[in-house]
Amino acid sequence: MAGITDLGVGIGWRSEIDLTVERLPGVDFVEVVAENLHGDVQRGHLPESVRLLLERGIPVLPHAVSLSLGGADPVDLTRVEHLGEVAEAVGAPMVSDHVCFVRAGGLDSGHLMPVPRTKDALDVLVANVRLAQQNLPVPLALENVAALLEWPDGELSEGQFLAELVERTDCWLLVDVANLYANARNIGTDPERFLDEIPLERLAYVHVAGGVDHGDVYHDTHAHAVLPEVLGVLDELCSRVSPPGVLLERDDNYPSDSEIASELAAIRAVVDAHRG
Amino acid sequence: MVTPMTAQTTQLSAEQAGYLTAGPGRAAETALARLIDAGLVRVSRDGLVSAVHQTNHGATTPVEARLLNHARAAVRFDAILQSTATSTEMTQLHEHLLGRGLMQRPRRRSPAWVFSLGVAVFLVFLGFSTPAFFIGVPIALLFFVWQRGRGAVTKAGKEVLRQVTASDRVHAVALYGFAGKVSGHKVGDLFDLSQSVVKMIPLKKKHRSSSDGGGCGSASSCSSCGSGCGSSSSSCSSGSSCSSGGSSCGGGCGGGGGGD
Ligand SMILES: [Fe+2]
């Protein structure tokens, strides 16, 4: 698939740190949260900073958080359409959302809720993903989420569940290694088994994020430094496949430019170590 | 060669120089400039100001601490300048400058203010309607200047301010404001601030309180700025950069500037 073979190392563009993102050394691509871009995006009304990055030739990938593709409610096609408009406005090679649901029975949870890993839930997810794909101008990648609890009666492991999703929809995978680490810490899943089970040839890119330990629970806050253990999971992934891109997500408590730069450098060091 | 001043040498912080130059609005701009310069605060393209750390660590003055505190959650550029300019910490800075004899309380807030204005207006009418035209109008103008009060910055204040130069970008803000210019460069550009952000700086305040600093508020300093500030009262505000020192009027009315 053209355009995503070598994204490099990137960072989530956020309006609060737009100038930081622009001046940081070594930003090869950025992600924008599609829902944060309002207005006439199809007529080119993008934030000035995003336009500037595009002019510099930096790929901008829209990332959605509200399609709720794992939900039993029908897919909201206006949200899919907006995501598509953002993709076209920034000339993105692909878009992404999560394997989760955020709404049920008309209520918005405000969280990315994990999908029960049953055959029935997978059927619903597959139907929703196919509908979204039909209404999107570019390929769709789907991301594994962090869960604080597991639904009972799961029939498949998370890796098997995603492998089957890819098999049936031909979607791409966005692997969040911080979420893998969070699930390992909080619900005892095995990141290595996950990486063994997913089709790595369908890996679009990778997310890395920071979090914090609260006693027995790890919180995937995106507002703290990236733990070495999360970079360890990235290292494990890189030992199996050379990821087309790795992106740092930071959503709050933005540290100094130099701290962000050193997090990006640490990510790049892990990736480069496997490229030799 | 001039002998260096000895006992009278007075050190001014950039923040204090900002206050003496154009009042609390400028002092707030200067405090923000210092924090951006130190990497303790960042400003986004659309003017969101946010603190880099969740502590006041790194603040060197109470005004800076106040500003950092307010910026822990992202806040608009104009809003944070406004709240900092009207904070108790800023009032304390004013008190400090008063205490050092660098500023004085303006006269124009006397209860006779409205009465004086009435007399001036009466004299203008008298001037236009009688042969005493050439006497009435100048008297009214003099009266008007008098009732606006003496300069808020004292002679001593102007003296120490004269020694302040735009030696770095923080001092450039103190003297000219983010919206001003130094050596032909927009001061805002020195901080990567877009013109749309610079234009957010509050332009006009309806009533200058007695705690306001020098700058356009004092008739004497305005007149020394020539066309820069003095001609139109609407372009004079606490945020503008009409300097009290006649020599440093180059920046013009910073708040009113901003071309394209
Ligand atoms: Fe993520």
Side-chain angles (χ1 to χ4, degrees):
Chain A
M1 157 179 194
I4 62 149
T5 45
D6 196 14
L7 289 167
V9 174
I11 183 167
W13 181 92
R14 307 288 183 261
S15 62
E16 293 93 331
I17 53 166
D18 52 4
L19 287 166
T20 294
V21 172
E22 288 169 36
R23 62 183 164 231
L24 275 175
V27 170
D28 303 321
F29 75 111
V30 300
E31 205 178 54
V32 289
V33 175
E35 288 83 355
N36 289 349
L37 298 188
H38 316 283
D40 275 345
V41 286
Q42 74 270 40
R43 288 170 55 193
H45 289 190
L46 293 167
E48 189 183 357
S49 176
V50 172
R51 271 192 287 122
L52 249 147
L53 292 168
L54 285 170
E55 280 167 24
R56 280 199 224 154
I58 300 208
V60 177
L61 304 191
H63 183 54
V65 294
S66 69
L67 296 190
S68 199
L69 295 170
D73 293 355
V75 176
D76 183 349
L77 286 178
T78 58
R79 293 174 193 271
V80 177
E81 193 184 335
H82 177 71
L83 177 58
E85 283 168 3
V86 173
E88 290 190 323
V90 299
M94 71 162 28
V95 294
S96 58
D97 200 321
H98 304 80
V99 176
C100 73
F101 67 95
V102 295
R103 276 179 305 280
L107 291 175
D108 217 311
S109 76
H111 293 281
L112 307 175
M113 306 288 289
V115 179
R117 289 197 301 273
T118 63
K119 293 278 183 191
D120 289 346
L122 184 61
D123 289 343
V124 172
L125 175 67
V126 164
N128 287 342
V129 169
R130 283 182 181 152
L131 186 59
Q133 285 171 321
Q134 283 159 20
N135 288 277
L136 284 168
V138 291
L140 174 67
L142 291 167
E143 176 182 350
N144 59 305
V145 297
L148 279 175
L149 51 90
E150 280 211 277
W151 295 102
D153 306 322
E155 297 161 23
L156 302 165
S157 70
E158 192 178 9
Q160 291 166 339
F161 192 80
L162 292 181
E164 199 150 331
L165 174 67
V166 170
E167 172 88 40
R168 290 171 62 182
T169 65
D170 210 26
C171 71
W172 292 80
L173 289 176
L174 169 46
V175 171
D176 188 317
V177 288
N179 290 347
L180 280 184
Y181 173 72
N183 287 354
R185 281 288 313 275
N186 297 335
I187 55 175
T189 55
D190 179 0
E192 291 192 28
R193 183 178 163 195
F194 176 96
L195 294 171
D196 285 340
E197 288 173 343
I198 60 166
L200 286 171
E201 68 281 5
R202 297 297 288 178
L203 178 64
Y205 58 105
V206 175
H207 272 177
V208 175
V212 67
D213 269 315
H214 280 305
D216 288 343
V217 180
Y218 171 80
H219 284 286
D220 175 51
T221 60
H222 294 198
H224 294 84
V226 176
L227 295 191
E229 292 87 338
V230 170
L231 290 179
V233 181
L234 175 65
D235 186 59
E236 182 64 42
L237 182 146
C238 290
S239 70
R240 293 150 198 257
V241 65
S242 179
V246 184
L247 182 129
L248 173 67
E249 291 186 292
R250 183 81 184 210
D251 296 330
D252 207 354
N253 288 352
Y254 303 100
S256 67
D257 290 12
S258 58
E259 282 170 76
I260 298 179
S262 58
E263 289 211 321
L264 289 176
I267 289 170
R268 193 180 293 277
V270 172
V271 175
D272 287 350
H274 291 275
R275 287 194 171 156
Chain B
M1 291 298 287
V2 180
T3 311
M5 293 211 300
T6 50
Q8 288 301 308
T9 303
T10 317
Q11 292 293 320
L12 272 188
S13 68
E15 195 175 287
Q16 292 166 339
Y19 202 113
L20 289 181
T21 302
R26 180 64 59 75
E29 283 186 59
T30 311
L32 178 57
R34 221 286 299 171
L35 293 172
I36 299 173
D37 190 64
L40 295 168
V41 148
R42 61 160 58 85
V43 185
S44 72
R45 274 191 182 273
D46 51 3
L48 281 178
V49 180
S50 47
V52 167
H53 306 290
Q54 292 300 299
T55 64
N56 288 351
H57 180 75
T60 58
T61 68
V63 172
E64 286 182 6
R66 157 85 186 207
L67 204 155
L68 272 184
N69 222 356
H70 193 179
R72 282 191 199 170
V75 55
R76 273 174 58 107
F77 189 76
D78 52 340
I80 200 160
L81 288 180
Q82 197 94 40
S83 75
T84 306
T86 54
S87 64
T88 49
E89 288 80 359
M90 192 62 82
T91 308
Q92 283 158 11
L93 173 61
H94 182 231
E95 300 286 341
H96 174 77
L97 293 170
L98 287 170
R100 280 174 65 182
L102 302 177
M103 295 188 75
Q104 59 197 348
R105 295 195 187 276
R107 189 195 294 138
R108 67 185 168 90
R109 281 290 162 181
S110 73
W113 191 85
V114 177
F115 175 73
S116 313
L117 187 64
V119 172
V121 169
F122 172 74
L123 283 172
V124 168
F125 275 110
L126 198 71
F128 277 108
S129 58
T130 69
F133 178 82
F134 292 105
I135 300 169
V137 172
I139 288 177
L141 285 176
L142 279 175
F143 208 54
F144 185 72
V145 166
W146 180 83
Q147 61 84 20
R148 287 203 69 181
R150 60 186 178 183
V153 180
T154 63
K155 228 177 182 161
K158 286 175 187 172
E159 192 55 44
V160 289
L161 193 54
R162 204 160 288 144
Q163 297 165 32
V164 178
T165 55
S167 51
D168 53 54
R169 59 181 188 164
V170 177
H171 280 87
V173 171
L175 293 180
Y176 307 113
F178 283 119
K181 279 189 174 178
V182 59
S183 317
H185 297 287
K186 289 174 179 162
V187 176
D189 289 352
L190 303 175
F191 291 84
D192 286 342
L193 294 179
S194 67
Q195 282 305 297
S196 59
V197 171
V198 169
K199 283 177 187 167
M200 290 165 93
I201 295 170
L203 264 185
K204 184 172 183 279
K205 220 160 92 183
K206 276 175 195 144
H207 299 289
R208 293 175 55 80
S209 75
S210 60
S211 68
D212 282 356
C216 294
S218 69
S220 60
S221 64
C222 264
S223 59
S224 69
C225 276
S227 61
C229 285
S231 56
S232 155
S233 65
S234 70
S235 69
C236 285
S237 73
S238 60
S240 66
S241 64
C242 175
S243 283
S244 57
S247 59
S248 56
C249 286
C253 265
D260 41 330

